[in-house]
């Protein structure tokens, strides 16, 4: 009989990012940020917890401070389709709100799902409660999300994502977020990311 020693893929994935930017000279500024994302896969389900923090100062005056925390449950219906529910809490006082709590439900479809390349879209509904100056307001939005990721070689990969939220009551209260990034692997546990 033949003995196979195939290595099982771990159900856990983890991504940790830390960034410190300190600029001197004519313009003095500092920026600190951290990101954490942990996922656990079981059966056809994925549970993801993520968090992010950013603080920036210019000439010792705070100019940016934001954070968010996400908990997402996703159930795969097939190789290309899945459904999800997620809860997002976020704060950005310089964008005008103390805290915003979002609940999302929707579907996800993979246009491309290979090892070197992934392209998927999510569409769904978002219910939000926003606390601003002690007053809480509620809103409902449509959420549209696209993400494209490509592994160029063993050391270099890139991701581009864009998210659009369209408010159902006020068409001028839309929001669009996006991030292009390139990562270069430096060792088994460290990589450099530019975004």
């Amino acid at each position: 009989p033949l003995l196979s020693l195939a290595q099982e893929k771990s159900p856990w994935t983890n991504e940790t990012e830390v960034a410190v930017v300190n600029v001197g000279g004519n313009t003095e500024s500092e920026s600190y940020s951290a990101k954490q994302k942990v996922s656990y896969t079981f059966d056809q389900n994925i549970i993801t917890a993520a968090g992010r923090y950013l603080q920036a100062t210019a000439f010792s005056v705070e100019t940016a401070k934001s954070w968010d925390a996400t908990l997402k449950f996703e159930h795969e219906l097939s190789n290309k389709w899945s459904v999800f529910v997620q809860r997002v809490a976020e704060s950005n006082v310089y964008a005008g709100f103390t805290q915003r709590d979002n609940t999302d439900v929707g579907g996800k479809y993979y246009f491309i799902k290979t090892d070197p390349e992934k392209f998927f879209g999510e569409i769904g509904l978002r219910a939000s409660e926003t606390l601003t100056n002690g007053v809480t307001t509620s809103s409902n939005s449509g959420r549209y999300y696209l993400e494209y990721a490509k592994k160029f070689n063993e050391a270099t990969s890139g991701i581009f994502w864009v998210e659009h939220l369209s408010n159902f009551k006020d068409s001028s209260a839309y929001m669009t977020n996006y991030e292009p990034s390139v990562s270069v692997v430096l060792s088994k546990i460290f990589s450099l990311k530019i975004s």
Side-chain angles (χ1 to χ4, degrees):
L2 295 173
L3 180 61
S4 175
L5 297 175
Q7 186 176 2
E8 278 191 41
K9 185 178 176 185
S10 173
W12 292 95
T13 61
N14 179 65
E15 296 174 33
T16 303
E17 294 180 21
V18 177
V20 176
V21 178
N22 191 341
V23 178
N26 292 336
T27 303
E28 293 181 15
S29 65
E30 294 179 351
S31 173
Y32 305 95
S33 65
K35 265 186 183 178
Q36 177 66 42
K37 182 179 177 183
V38 177
S39 295
Y40 179 71
T41 303
F42 63 100
D43 300 328
Q44 282 113 359
N45 305 302
I46 304 167
I47 296 176
T48 302
R52 181 186 58 83
Y53 178 80
L54 169 71
Q55 183 177 16
T57 59
F59 296 107
S60 301
V61 176
E62 188 175 73
T63 56
K65 187 173 187 178
S66 65
W67 60 263
D68 65 54
T70 303
L71 183 61
K72 182 176 185 178
F73 175 80
E74 185 176 336
H75 177 72
E76 294 179 343
L77 301 173
S78 70
N79 189 39
K80 294 203 169 215
W81 284 100
S82 63
V83 292
F84 67 88
V85 61
Q86 75 178 359
R87 182 76 171 166
V88 180
E90 58 185 333
S91 175
N92 191 336
V93 292
Y94 294 100
F97 63 94
T98 307
Q99 184 167 337
R100 181 179 294 140
D101 296 318
N102 307 303
T103 302
D104 299 337
V105 293
K108 179 178 187 178
Y109 180 76
Y110 278 93
F111 302 101
I112 301 170
K113 193 176 184 182
T114 63
D115 185 36
E117 189 176 21
K118 287 184 175 53
F119 177 42
F120 68 85
E122 293 179 350
I123 188 167
L125 300 173
R126 171 171 282 189
S128 300
E129 289 190 351
T130 305
L131 176 64
T132 307
N133 298 325
V135 178
T136 301
T137 57
S138 298
S139 65
N140 295 308
S141 304
R143 179 179 176 269
Y144 315 96
Y145 180 90
L146 289 171
E147 182 174 309
Y148 178 75
K150 184 169 175 85
K151 196 178 199 182
F152 301 109
N153 56 46
E154 288 301 314
T156 310
S157 61
I159 296 177
F160 176 77
W161 62 263
V162 61
E163 176 188 53
H164 181 77
L165 300 163
S166 57
N167 190 300
F168 292 147
K169 280 187 182 176
D170 183 0
S171 62
S172 65
Y174 68 89
M175 190 174 357
T176 302
N177 305 302
Y178 63 91
E179 180 183 352
S181 65
V182 175
S183 297
V184 178
V185 175
L186 302 176
S187 71
K188 283 187 177 183
I189 59 170
F190 287 110
S191 63
L192 175 67
K193 180 179 178 181
I194 299 169
S195 64

